[in-house]
């Protein structure tokens, strides 16, 4: 029984960061420098550098630069697409 609880907790710790990523459905985009690259990298800092880069390449549709929000409007890691201001990351 203890093993099951430990295994379940470990799986949750691994999967939750991926499920809670900033996305258009949450009125959220990755902001910061390089059109959103910096915000994405900051929010996925629990991964190795190579894994973060690959993950952030996959998340390019969620960069603010691809959602009509400029760096001048929002320099935060996570931004509201509709309001074009920084928000708490999910």
């Amino acid at each position: 029984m203890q093993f099951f609880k430990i295994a379940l907790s470990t799986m949750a710790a691994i999967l939750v960061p991926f499920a809670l990523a900033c996305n258009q459905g949450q009125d959220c985009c990755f902001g910061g420098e390089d059109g959103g690259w910096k915000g994405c990298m900051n929010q996925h800092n629990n991964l190795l550098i190579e894994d973060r880069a690959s993950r952030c390449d996959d998340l390019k549709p969620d960069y603010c630069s691809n959602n009509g929000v400029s760096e001048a409007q929002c320099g935060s890691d996570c931004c509201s697409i509709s309001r074009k201001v920084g928000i708490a990351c999910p």
Side-chain angles (χ1 to χ4, degrees), residues 5-66:
K5 288 181 183 178
I6 292 170
L8 187 59
S9 296
T10 302
M11 290 297 291
I14 292 170
L15 296 177
V16 166
F18 295 104
L20 297 178
C22 183
N23 62 53
Q24 296 170 20
Q26 297 171 315
D27 187 35
C28 183
C29 60
F30 290 111
E33 298 171 18
D34 297 324
W37 174 259
K38 183 77 170 172
C40 184
M41 291 292 281
N42 288 342
Q43 290 305 305
H44 293 91
N45 64 3
N46 59 331
L47 301 173
L48 297 173
I49 294 290
E50 297 82 19
D51 296 336
R52 279 194 292 176
S54 176
R55 176 77 174 140
C56 288
D57 282 341
D58 293 342
L59 293 173
K60 280 185 180 178
D62 297 320
Y63 287 10
C64 287
S65 60
N66 295 324

Side-chain angles (χ1 to χ4, degrees), residues 32 69-75 84:
V69 181
S70 70
E71 288 179 40
Q73 292 169 312
C74 183
K84 298 178 178 15

